[in-house]
Each structure stands twice: as C-alpha cells, then as structure tokens.
Amino acid sequence: MSAGSVQQVFERLLEHLGPLHWWPADTPFEVVIGAILTQNTAWTNVEKAMANLREHDCLSATALRAAPRQRLEEWIRPAGFFRQKAERLQLLAEHLFARHGGDLQRMLAGPLAQVREELLTLKGVGPETADAILLYAGDQPSFVVDAYTRRLFGRLQLLDARAPYAGIRAFFMARLPADSDLFNEYHALIVEHCKTRCRKRRPLCPGCCLRDLCPFEKD
C-alpha cells in the first residue's frame, strides 16, 4: 500500500475536521496520568477523575507518590478499575524518582526506542499507553494505534484490523515522516472521525469525507 494513500486519508480528515489540538492537558505529567486513566473507559470519565485530582492538588509525581492509596483510589474512582490504576500511577511516580529524580522530561528525552522499552517495563503500561505518553507527553514521533485506528483503516482496506499492534504501528511509521506533530494530529483526527461518523455500529457513511475511498460504505 502506498504512502500516498495514508497521506491522502490524513489530508481529507484534516480538511474536513480541522486541527484538533489533542491532548487536553496543562502539563506533560497530566498527559501521563490521563493515558493511564483512559484505559478501558471513556474520556468523559477520565475528565471527572482528573477534576478530582486537580481539586486535591494531585497532578504531579511528587503529589501522587505521597497520596494515601485509599484517597487516591476514591479520587480516580470515576475512571473505573480505580484500585489497579491507583497502583499503576504510584508505581510510575516511584519509578520516576528512583530512575530520573522525579523528572518526567528527563526520562522522555532519551532515544525513542530506549524510552519506549523503559515505559513498557512499568506495570499497566502496554504499547498503546507507552506510545501515547511518548507522543503527547514527550513529543516523540511514536504512532499511537487504538481500536479506532483498526476500525477505520480496516474498513478502508488499507490494513488488516486484526493484525498485531506492532505491525499496525510499523505500517504507519513506514509510510509517514517521523513528525510528532503529524502523528499527534493524525491520531486525534482518526479518533474524532470514528466517534462522530465511522462508528462501530450504524456508521454514518453518507456525507463521509472518505466515502469514495472506502469499500465498506453503508447506505
């Protein structure tokens, strides 16, 4: 499949939706917190949990590390799986202090492959979460693959939606310039398009900006 096809989809989505300026966070560390909280839940639930953390001044590695576990669990309860996520957040904060003096940017400033490997050693951080942290918190060109990516590009028949994560990530990284701004915008556009039009059930194909490119088209 040509790089042009992947680029064409990006250009169509950007023209139709405009720049989306994702990820909604005030600091890189807030991106990391959000990347963990958003696992297996909707972003609206993450926003509630983040609001609780903000209210209790717990949006830094220092504050997370010091927070009583039960209180942290209560604050992030809206995001679901709150016990597991509280543990993961505090383990990440402990890792930052043990290896990087509590400095997230120091950790993320290393070579992409090295930082990605380190992130993947952390409990609860899989490939999608690691790539989201690299891209949105570290400004590293690491393409994020999620269920929306699989759905859209599977329907476009540009890739096998059932392929392993690593293969789909490699597909995009081989066909796009290593540009973190491009990856950032592309992922945000894919998510927005799939939420509003290329839905899992009852997709809104009429009027879709990709309609002429898509074999999946439904009336």
Side-chain angles (χ1 to χ4, degrees):
M1 184 58 58
S2 70
S5 300
V6 176
Q7 187 69 33
Q8 184 180 22
V9 172
F10 171 75
E11 290 169 358
R12 291 273 190 98
L13 291 174
L14 182 62
E15 180 181 5
H16 184 70
L17 296 170
L20 296 177
H21 307 294
W22 190 261
W23 185 294
D26 293 331
T27 68
F29 195 75
E30 286 186 30
V31 172
V32 175
I33 294 174
I36 291 174
L37 292 181
T38 198
Q39 295 170 352
N40 301 304
T41 195
W43 185 255
T44 52
N45 297 326
V46 176
E47 289 177 326
K48 295 172 186 175
M50 294 291 285
N52 289 340
L53 292 174
R54 185 170 288 106
E55 180 182 348
H56 293 91
D57 197 22
C58 194
L59 286 171
S60 68
T62 300
L64 269 181
R65 187 188 190 198
R69 176 66 63 84
Q70 287 188 332
R71 289 193 177 181
L72 179 58
E73 290 175 357
E74 193 60 34
W75 297 337
I76 67 171
R77 181 184 287 268
F81 300 97
F82 55 91
R83 291 190 178 89
Q84 297 96 314
K85 291 177 181 179
E87 178 190 24
R88 293 168 184 179
L89 287 170
Q90 291 194 312
L91 286 173
L92 184 145
E94 288 290 349
H95 178 85
L96 280 178
F97 279 96
R99 293 281 300 274
H100 304 283
D103 189 339
L104 174 67
Q105 293 308 110
R106 184 190 301 176
M107 180 179 80
L108 296 179
L112 189 155
Q114 177 181 313
V115 179
R116 190 172 192 268
E117 184 177 352
E118 180 177 349
L119 286 169
L120 290 171
T121 67
L122 300 176
K123 187 173 183 179
V125 177
E128 182 182 338
T129 301
D131 290 326
I133 291 170
L134 283 163
L135 179 61
Y136 291 105
D139 197 30
Q140 294 254 33
S142 193
F143 200 89
V144 180
V145 176
D146 58 14
Y148 297 122
T149 312
R150 293 176 182 273
R151 181 195 308 164
L152 177 58
F153 285 85
R155 287 176 175 177
L156 290 169
Q157 295 186 8
L158 292 178
L159 54 76
D160 181 354
R162 299 164 298 177
Y165 184 99
I168 296 178
R169 177 175 178 267
F171 168 89
F172 284 98
M173 295 187 69
R175 290 164 174 79
L176 295 169
D179 181 337
S180 59
D181 289 337
L182 171 64
F183 288 6
N184 179 320
E185 194 62 63
Y186 207 159
H187 179 244
L189 290 166
I190 291 168
V191 171
E192 182 65 18
H193 185 71
C194 287
K195 283 184 175 180
T196 59
R197 186 165 290 276
C198 193
R199 303 181 303 193
K200 186 174 182 179
R201 298 178 180 84
R202 299 175 64 186
L204 302 176
C205 296
C208 175
C209 64
L210 302 175
R211 189 175 185 181
D212 62 313
L213 305 176
C214 187
F216 181 81
E217 182 186 349
K218 299 287 187 181
D219 294 330

